[in-house]
Amino acid sequence: MIRQMASRSRFLVGLTAFALMAGPATAQGMAQGAPQGAPQTTPASPAVPEAPPAPAVPEVPATPGMSETPAAASPPAAFVETLPQTIEGVPGTWDLSRDGSTRRCVMTLAVQSFDSGRRLSFPAGCRRALPILNEVAAWLFVDGAVRLVDKNVRPILMFKIRDDKRSLMARAENGEVYSLVPLQIVAMAPPPPPGPDGRDSAFQLGRDDPAKAAAPGTETSGTGERPTAGTYALDRYREQDVCRLELKPAEGGASPVRVLDGCRDSGLTTFDPASWQGAPGRLTLVARRGHVVGLVPAGENHWRREPEVGTTFVLRRIEAAPTNGSP
């Protein structure tokens, strides 16, 4: 009897294990068919399947500016053309500087020409500030831009127009970059009013004509005090009357200049003025070699250099010319 009960218990344990491996439904059916009094197992609740995740909505890549309100276009700033279009507009004063440094020089590009090109001039200190100028002897106007050349017409700085169309730039052989900016040139002068006959009274710069080498603006009508012939004292910074000049009345179309004895200003004697020109609001000294110095009113009978570069340069009239116009 005991042996039969043990055998039946082993049979029920094996049957239950088989039902668990076969699944909950099989185990429940087998448990229902088992004899009463046999231990029953509670079937596991079937797992409720989870709802499938909602499909992700693909993100549309944002187009730059789509979600932004476009800003109202601001009107472009008024642009004033300052670079010369032709060689006639080049003569005058220019600022030459080396990019990335404080080295600069104000030079005068004159209209007179010689074997190497057209004449230029600059203060002696420019050679120390910009050693590249030791090689420069003349200027040319090529492809719509200024070119500085040596005495053999070999290009030293070949400028081209920058994108802003307000300055010129050139790269030297050693890689240094230079900028050339117009300060006061013919191309920047306002158009003159029409003459009495209704035609344009603009002055055309001639070739090799020292009488026409005046700084920009002298050939056009203007406003302000007009210089007169007489004796002038040159005043420098902290030094007065270092030199005297006689600005004579016109003689045969030209107005001569004579440097009086006792001049103690080496700069003026090196400049060697030969003639002068006057216009309302402008006095121009013309050197024997063709370059010029322009001056503007600085008080009654006082004229200062324009632009104000280097050492102070003021001419002060101390004696008017005789009324009869004699030298």
Side-chain angles (χ1 to χ4, degrees), residues 96-225:
L96 176 67
S97 61
R98 195 183 76 196
D99 289 11
S101 75
T102 57
R103 302 296 184 91
R104 61 193 332 104
C105 172
V106 174
M107 60 172 52
T108 300
L109 305 185
V111 65
Q112 288 74 29
S113 57
F114 62 111
D115 293 343
S116 300
R118 294 188 179 254
R119 298 185 183 277
L120 55 79
S121 61
F122 44 81
C126 288
R127 297 185 185 276
R128 295 189 298 272
L130 299 173
I132 196 170
L133 289 177
N134 289 309
E135 305 177 62
V136 174
W139 69 273
L140 302 172
F141 191 74
V142 182
D143 297 331
V146 175
R147 180 174 296 183
L148 302 184
V149 299
D150 65 9
K151 61 181 180 180
N152 297 317
V153 200
R154 182 179 68 90
I156 302 300
L157 290 174
M158 295 187 293
F159 290 94
K160 64 180 182 180
I161 301 175
R162 274 197 169 94
D163 292 339
D164 61 6
K165 299 188 183 301
R166 297 181 187 273
S167 62
L168 305 176
M169 66 83 63
R171 187 178 299 275
E173 293 180 351
N174 61 2
E176 294 177 344
V177 177
Y178 290 83
S179 295
L180 190 63
V181 181
L183 293 180
Q184 189 175 19
I185 62 175
V186 175
M188 297 168 64
D197 56 358
R199 293 183 300 176
D200 190 353
S201 60
F203 178 85
Q204 296 298 322
L205 288 171
R207 187 179 176 90
D208 298 326
D209 186 356
K212 295 180 180 180
T218 60
E219 70 278 1
T220 63
S221 61
T223 58
E225 180 184 355

Side-chain angles (χ1 to χ4, degrees), residues 1-322:
M1 182 68 175
I2 295 175
R3 189 177 300 131
Q4 288 178 352
M5 291 178 64
S7 175
R8 186 174 181 179
S9 296
R10 285 195 299 269
F11 172 75
L12 289 176
V13 171
L15 185 62
T16 302
F18 174 77
L20 290 175
M21 290 187 295
T26 307
Q28 184 178 5
M30 290 184 174
Q32 292 177 352
Q36 294 184 357
Q40 297 183 0
T41 58
T42 304
S45 301
V48 179
E50 297 181 359
V57 179
E59 295 183 0
V60 180
T63 303
M66 284 185 60
S67 60
E68 299 176 359
T69 303
S74 57
F79 177 75
V80 178
E81 187 72 40
T82 56
L83 296 180
Q85 301 290 326
T86 63
I87 192 171
E88 286 78 11
V90 175
T93 53
W94 293 74
D95 179 81
L96 176 67
S97 61
R98 195 183 76 196
D99 289 11
S101 75
T102 57
R103 302 296 184 91
R104 61 193 332 104
C105 172
V106 174
M107 60 172 52
T108 300
L109 305 185
V111 65
Q112 288 74 29
S113 57
F114 62 111
D115 293 343
S116 300
R118 294 188 179 254
R119 298 185 183 277
L120 55 79
S121 61
F122 44 81
C126 288
R127 297 185 185 276
R128 295 189 298 272
L130 299 173
I132 196 170
L133 289 177
N134 289 309
E135 305 177 62
V136 174
W139 69 273
L140 302 172
F141 191 74
V142 182
D143 297 331
V146 175
R147 180 174 296 183
L148 302 184
V149 299
D150 65 9
K151 61 181 180 180
N152 297 317
V153 200
R154 182 179 68 90
I156 302 300
L157 290 174
M158 295 187 293
F159 290 94
K160 64 180 182 180
I161 301 175
R162 274 197 169 94
D163 292 339
D164 61 6
K165 299 188 183 301
R166 297 181 187 273
S167 62
L168 305 176
M169 66 83 63
R171 187 178 299 275
E173 293 180 351
N174 61 2
E176 294 177 344
V177 177
Y178 290 83
S179 295
L180 190 63
V181 181
L183 293 180
Q184 189 175 19
I185 62 175
V186 175
M188 297 168 64
D197 56 358
R199 293 183 300 176
D200 190 353
S201 60
F203 178 85
Q204 296 298 322
L205 288 171
R207 187 179 176 90
D208 298 326
D209 186 356
K212 295 180 180 180
T218 60
E219 70 278 1
T220 63
S221 61
T223 58
E225 180 184 355
R226 177 186 286 272
T228 58
T231 301
Y232 286 75
L234 172 62
D235 295 336
R236 292 289 194 175
Y237 178 68
R238 292 184 179 176
E239 291 186 273
Q240 306 294 310
D241 205 352
V242 295
C243 190
R244 291 193 175 190
L245 305 109
E246 183 182 3
L247 275 58
K248 300 183 178 182
E251 298 176 359
S255 301
V257 171
R258 181 168 69 97
V259 179
L260 303 183
D261 294 339
C263 181
R264 297 180 288 110
D265 192 87
S266 59
L268 186 67
T269 54
T270 301
F271 177 74
D272 192 17
S275 64
W276 69 280
Q277 294 184 358
R282 191 76 183 187
L283 168 62
T284 303
L285 298 180
V286 184
R288 203 171 306 278
R289 294 187 298 276
H291 44 285
V292 301
V293 169
L295 301 99
V296 296
E300 185 177 1
N301 296 324
H302 284 64
W303 298 82
R304 65 168 176 81
R305 177 167 50 188
E306 174 67 25
E308 292 184 276
V309 294
T311 309
T312 303
F313 188 107
V314 175
L315 287 184
R316 172 172 45 90
R317 199 188 72 185
I318 56 178
E319 183 180 346

